[in-house]
Amino acid sequence: MTFWFEVPLLILLILTAAGAILAKDLISSIFILGTYSFFLALVWAWLGAVDVAFVEAVVGAGLATVLFLLTLFGTSPKDIRIGRFSPPLTALIGLPILAVLLLYAAEDFPEFGNPESPPNVHVSSEYLKNSLQETGSSNVVTAVLMDYRAFDTLIETSVIFTAGIACALLLRRDRK
Amino acid sequence: MIQAHDSVIVRKMSRVLIPLIQLYALYVLFFGQQGPGGGFVCGVMLGTSLILGILVFGPDSQPYRLAQKAMHGDGVGLLIFAGIGGLCLIGGGQYLNYSGLTIPGIDTDVERHYLGILLTQVGVAIDIAVTAISIVFSLAFIDDDRDDP
């Protein structure tokens, strides 16, 4: 089994996430967040979602790090709060209860890789069967994104376009 | 705010790396139907290579001018994507149904779908790359007219 591989990976994921929150220096926090993205990409690849892993490695570790760093250069690189405020009592009690409830709900999920689970019996089998004959692309993810679900991708692209326009409107100043 | 990086190692390394990143981005774009990747990843990588050039070579360099020119293409990617859908309408099909993509020389249904996927991926890549560069420009000149250093 691959059990020896996945448990250290998940532990590293939690450790890097905690380190990114706890680090005093915000620049090192950003780089720890980049390593978190790399570990997350490894987890996606291990789950078989190679496209998602690719995007996570490129966007999470590459582009987001640059954007965070550039934002940090415009502000202060140090966390200047004197002490960490202690979490309120409602969070200390409420969050473990929420975690227990979520774990309880996770019991009802279908088993990982189960061919009878609802996402696997609805339309995805049709995609897997027909995508090579209908679209000529052997990567089913690309066929679904760009052909079967092209409207979703069009709206997604327009969302990204809108984000760029909004950033330019909000952040860019007149250089006069 | 952005100045040229003064380390020789960084400048030489990025001079080697930037064309490689761009070449790999194009490979990912045009091989996206056989392997992992596609328009989104290609756009991010193209944008990131230009951002690396901007950050390393500073405002008096060719990557900077190229990125400035690229920003005029804001919206072109979305226009390509939506335009392919419009071409499908003109060809007598439904919007974004590539079976209606009538281009002379391409006869079978599979080829039309293949070409449609490829062209829309080019649109997505251009859109993402321009957006990434645009956001970096917006962020980097955030205190361009501030008095204190």
Side-chain angles (χ1 to χ4, degrees):
Chain A
M1 295 292 284
T2 51
F3 191 71
W4 60 272
F5 182 65
E6 56 203 59
V7 168
L9 205 55
L10 292 175
I11 288 174
L12 276 174
L13 206 61
I14 293 170
L15 277 184
T16 45
I21 296 172
L22 293 177
K24 270 282 186 189
D25 189 12
L26 290 180
I27 288 184
S28 40
S29 182
I30 288 169
F31 283 113
I32 295 172
L33 211 58
T35 58
Y36 172 81
S37 284
F38 270 122
F39 286 128
L40 197 58
L42 280 180
V43 172
W44 287 124
W46 159 59
L47 286 173
V50 190
D51 289 83
V52 185
F54 208 168
V55 172
E56 179 68 41
V58 168
V59 176
L63 188 61
T65 309
V66 175
L67 294 184
F68 277 139
L69 276 179
L70 283 174
T71 314
L72 208 55
F73 289 154
T75 59
S76 152
K78 283 275 183 191
D79 190 358
I80 50 170
R81 285 174 298 175
I82 302 297
R84 301 285 169 144
F85 60 92
S86 56
L89 197 64
T90 48
L92 277 179
I93 298 173
L95 286 178
I97 292 177
L98 187 66
V100 169
L101 280 176
L102 285 177
L103 282 176
Y104 175 69
E107 285 286 302
D108 285 344
F109 274 145
E111 200 185 338
F112 178 66
N114 184 4
E116 300 298 317
S117 67
N120 287 348
V121 295
H122 186 44
V123 286
S124 56
S125 56
E126 295 293 317
Y127 292 153
L128 289 174
K129 238 183 285 177
N130 299 330
S131 72
L132 187 56
Q133 285 87 35
E134 285 180 0
T135 67
S137 63
S138 48
N139 185 4
V140 187
V141 178
T142 307
V144 171
L145 269 182
M146 286 297 167
D147 199 334
Y148 296 110
R149 291 272 177 267
F151 262 118
D152 291 358
T153 314
L154 178 64
I155 304 300
E156 194 181 317
T157 314
S158 65
V159 164
I160 290 165
F161 171 68
T162 315
I165 293 291
C167 272
L169 284 177
L170 288 173
L171 296 173
R172 206 171 295 166
R173 306 228 186 106
D174 261 345
R175 298 232 253 143
K176 289 174 194 167
Chain B
M1 174 180 169
I2 288 180
Q3 295 130 10
H5 204 286
D6 45 0
S7 162
V8 179
I9 299 172
V10 173
R11 292 172 70 94
K12 286 288 172 193
M13 276 311 288
S14 27
R15 217 177 280 271
V16 175
L17 275 180
I18 288 170
L20 277 181
I21 295 174
Q22 286 168 344
L23 192 67
Y24 188 61
L26 290 179
Y27 160 76
V28 163
L29 175 63
F30 291 108
F31 204 66
Q33 279 152 296
Q34 275 82 38
F40 193 85
V41 182
C42 166
V44 174
M45 283 165 79
L46 281 181
T48 316
S49 68
L50 274 183
I51 290 164
L52 179 66
I54 293 169
L55 292 182
V56 170
F57 297 115
D60 295 320
S61 61
Q62 207 193 351
Y64 189 89
R65 287 193 289 274
L66 194 63
Q68 269 184 330
K69 283 210 183 73
M71 284 219 297
H72 294 296
D74 213 354
V76 169
L78 196 59
L79 196 68
I80 291 175
F81 200 149
I84 299 296
L87 278 183
C88 300
L89 275 183
I90 291 171
Q94 297 151 314
Y95 190 69
L96 282 175
N97 185 353
Y98 306 131
S99 301
L101 197 65
T102 37
I103 290 174
I106 293 173
D107 303 320
T108 61
D109 210 35
V110 180
E111 281 174 348
R112 280 177 186 162
H113 276 270
Y114 195 89
L115 189 74
I117 291 174
L118 196 63
L119 290 177
T120 47
Q121 274 187 336
V122 171
V124 172
I126 292 173
D127 186 85
I128 307 281
V130 172
T131 303
I133 294 167
S134 159
I135 290 177
V136 164
F137 266 85
S138 315
L139 282 175
F141 302 126
I142 197 165
D143 52 358
D144 219 28
D145 49 2
R146 200 188 282 170
D147 292 330
D148 50 4

